């Protein structure tokens, strides 16, 4: 199931530790040596991210001059990318910042002098976001706007954030989920229309209950096996907590078919999931866009998302009688009543994840629509 680690540009291992080592000319351009930690999946993933950033810079995506007037909010945001604060953010967080800045914030406030932006302008931005794009997009856009202003205060560009008193009520949680038969149709249609990587991604998401970002960034080296079967072992992109998640026989069979179809393109990649053109899913947007295309093939007009598959696993496990603590272990999240004790004394385990799989099977049977005589119809 595992493959030999592929070579990563500018990645070297010294005394068991991995380093991403730029050349002198790369250092002149601002790239620095990155200590990736003990050589292994996590270290190699950090090296892959560093190499991707460099390659994007080479292509010109990050080599553009500052397009904003000095002293503007946009100019500060441009320079924010060069700070340690930015470099410490996860890839997922940086992607989120870029998405909401480019799509919403830049056009409203990017050209304004940062020290002249008033609370009323931020309030109007918030109101417009709520009215035009809904509470979910409003919440994230305002959250990032507030974070940018907080960074400006930190670096003494301004003395007080104009958004510091701006309320930002979280949206109501989603409650949509998918049935097993619907997920099977998504996988089948994705494969039939050439979205082979997405088909495998949906199957892995269904088995593991991992978030979309963790599925998208899954490395081949993070698919492992033991005497009981194959499983995923990795750290969550958002929290860094370990995840153990067993893979089902159908997913393993699909993984085999996928490797045969992907061929040399997969051999040249550290990542599991590839787009139809053989490139990796670099952003959440491309991943979500492909999922929406597949969803339209299977369920035209549906609005459910890939992230709702994770909730589906929760529903199955809960209906099947899974213990809340066991669910927390399998998901690596905060389901325990006492978070401090839960984090300290209940680390995630593969055994707990396999117990959840059993509970999900029981819950799945109870969730199936019933015939008139009270028996399951197998839908």
């Amino acid at each position: 199931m595992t493959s030999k680690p592929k070579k990563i540009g500018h990645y070297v291992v010294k005394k068991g530790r991995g380093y991403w080592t730029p050349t002198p000319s790369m250092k002149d351009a601002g790239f620095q040596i990155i200590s990736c930690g003990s050589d292994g999946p996590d270290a190699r993933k950090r090296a892959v991210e560093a190499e991707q950033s460099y390659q994007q810079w080479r292509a010109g995506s990050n080599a553009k001059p500052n397009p904003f007037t000095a002293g503007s909010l946009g100019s500060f945001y441009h320079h924010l990318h060069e700070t340690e604060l930015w470099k410490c953010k996860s890839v997922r967080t940086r992607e989120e910042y870029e998405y909401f800045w480019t799509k919403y914030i830049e056009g409203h406030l990017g050209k304004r002098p940062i020290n002249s932006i008033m609370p009323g302008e931020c309030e109007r931005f918030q109101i417009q976001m709520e009215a035009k794009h809904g509470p979910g997009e409003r919440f994230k856009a305002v959250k990032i706007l507030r974070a940018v202003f907080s960074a400006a205060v930190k670096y003494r560009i301004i003395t007080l954030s104009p958004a510091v008193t701006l309320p930002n009520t979280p949206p109501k949680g989603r409650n949509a989920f998918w049935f097993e038969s619907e997920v099977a149709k998504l996988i089948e249609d994705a494969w039939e229309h050439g979205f082979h990587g997405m088909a495998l991604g949906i199957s892995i998401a269904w088995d593991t209950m991992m978030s979309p970002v963790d599925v998208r960034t899954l490395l081949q080296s993070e698919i492992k096996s033991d005497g009981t079967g194959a499983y995923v072992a990795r750290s969550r992109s958002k929290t860094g907590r370990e995840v153990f998640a067993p893979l089902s026989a159908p997913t393993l069979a699909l993984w085999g078919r996928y490797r045969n179809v992907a061929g040399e393109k997969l051999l040249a990649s550290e990542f599991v999931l590839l787009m139809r053109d053989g490139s990796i899913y670099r952003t959440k947007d491309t991943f979500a866009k492909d999922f929406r295309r597949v969803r339209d093939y299977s369920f035209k007009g549906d609005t459910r998302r890939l992230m709702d598959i994770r909730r589906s696993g929760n529903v199955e496990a809960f209906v099947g009688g899974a213990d809340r603590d066991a669910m927390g272990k399998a998901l690596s999240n905060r389901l325990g009543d006492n978070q401090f004790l839960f984090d300290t004394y209940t680390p995630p385990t593969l055994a707990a994840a396999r117990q959840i799989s059993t509970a999900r099977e029981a819950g799945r049977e109870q969730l199936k629509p019933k015939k008139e005589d009270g028996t399951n119809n197998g839908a």
Side-chain angles (χ1 to χ4, degrees):
M1 288 304 303
T2 58
S3 58
K4 184 178 179 180
K6 310 301 184 300
K7 184 177 180 180
I8 303 171
H10 304 97
Y11 181 69
V12 298
V13 179
K14 297 179 180 179
K15 296 182 179 180
R17 296 187 64 81
Y19 300 88
W20 186 76
T21 55
T23 64
S25 62
M26 293 165 63
K27 291 180 180 178
D28 291 340
F31 293 93
Q32 302 294 323
I33 294 175
I34 298 177
S35 176
C36 302
S38 298
D39 183 41
D42 289 340
R44 297 179 70 84
K45 183 176 180 180
R46 283 190 283 272
V48 167
E49 292 171 352
E51 182 66 16
Q52 288 177 346
S53 296
Y54 167 62
Q55 294 300 338
Q56 290 173 359
W57 176 84
R58 282 187 64 192
S61 59
N62 290 332
K64 298 177 182 178
N66 189 341
F68 296 96
T69 304
S72 66
L73 177 63
S75 180
F76 171 73
Y77 181 75
H78 181 88
H79 289 298
L80 182 63
H81 291 62
E82 303 169 1
T83 66
E84 290 301 317
L85 180 65
W86 181 266
K87 294 175 183 177
C88 290
K89 296 184 185 298
S90 68
V91 173
R92 175 68 183 88
T93 299
R94 278 181 266 171
E95 286 180 352
E96 189 172 56
Y97 268 63
E98 293 293 271
Y99 174 82
F100 284 94
W101 170 266
T102 303
K103 190 169 183 179
Y104 303 120
I105 302 172
E106 178 181 348
H108 282 80
L109 298 168
K111 296 181 180 180
R112 294 277 293 117
I114 190 170
N115 58 3
S116 297
I117 298 175
M118 303 300 291
E121 294 178 84
C122 298
E123 185 177 22
R124 284 193 293 274
F125 171 72
Q126 179 194 46
I127 292 172
Q128 290 178 22
M129 283 297 305
E130 178 84 23
K132 293 182 178 180
H133 307 289
E137 294 287 273
R138 179 267 304 160
F139 175 74
K140 292 182 179 179
V142 171
K143 180 184 72 173
I144 290 171
L145 177 64
R146 292 172 64 175
V148 172
F149 279 127
S150 294
V153 173
K154 173 183 174 67
Y155 290 110
R156 300 185 178 181
I157 304 299
I158 55 177
T159 57
L160 182 67
S161 166
V164 67
T165 61
L166 194 65
N168 195 28
T169 306
K172 293 181 179 179
R174 292 178 60 81
N175 57 14
F177 65 94
W178 296 89
F179 286 102
E180 179 196 21
S181 58
E182 295 175 317
V183 172
K185 181 169 177 56
L186 288 171
I187 295 170
E188 180 181 353
D189 290 342
W191 190 271
E192 180 180 338
H193 287 89
F195 291 88
H196 300 139
M198 179 55 64
L200 180 61
I202 294 171
S203 190
I204 290 174
W206 176 256
D207 280 358
T208 65
M209 296 189 290
M210 293 195 304
S211 65
V213 63
D214 289 331
V215 173
R216 173 171 64 85
T217 59
L218 181 65
L219 299 178
Q220 295 182 48
S221 58
E222 292 170 339
I223 298 180
K224 305 178 184 296
S225 62
D226 60 11
T228 304
Y231 62 96
V232 168
R234 62 160 300 163
S235 298
R236 287 193 64 191
S237 299
K238 184 176 181 180
T239 64
R241 286 177 60 88
E242 286 184 297
V243 173
F244 295 103
L247 296 175
S248 66
T251 297
L252 294 179
L254 190 61
W255 170 230
R257 290 174 61 194
Y258 174 72
R259 285 186 295 174
N260 290 334
V261 171
E264 294 183 358
K265 293 179 180 178
L266 188 61
L267 293 176
S269 173
E270 285 284 306
F271 292 89
V272 171
L273 304 184
L274 302 179
M275 299 176 68
R276 287 186 295 178
D277 63 1
S279 61
I280 66 173
Y281 283 102
R282 296 186 182 279
T283 68
K284 68 169 187 176
D285 298 321
T286 54
F287 199 51
K289 185 176 182 180
D290 273 5
F291 177 78
R292 290 194 296 269
R293 288 173 176 170
V294 170
R295 184 190 64 195
D296 285 344
Y297 289 131
S298 302
F299 306 101
K300 188 70 175 179
D302 204 310
T303 60
R304 285 173 293 178
R305 306 176 188 176
L306 181 62
M307 69 173 68
D308 296 326
I309 289 180
R310 192 169 196 235
R311 187 178 304 104
S312 307
N314 273 315
V315 172
E316 285 187 343
F318 180 76
V319 173
D323 178 77
R324 180 176 176 177
D325 282 352
M327 291 167 67
K329 294 175 189 178
L331 293 168
S332 279
N333 64 12
R334 302 184 174 186
L335 289 179
D337 291 330
N338 186 310
Q339 180 56 34
F340 176 78
L341 293 178
F342 183 77
D343 285 347
T344 304
Y345 298 110
T346 56
T349 64
L350 181 58
R354 284 179 171 146
Q355 290 175 6
I356 293 300
S357 293
T358 301
R360 285 184 62 187
E361 291 175 3
R364 190 174 302 149
E365 287 300 312
Q366 295 185 51
L367 286 168
K368 287 180 178 179
K370 305 291 184 179
K371 295 180 180 179
E372 292 184 0
D373 61 3
T375 61
N376 287 336
N377 65 9

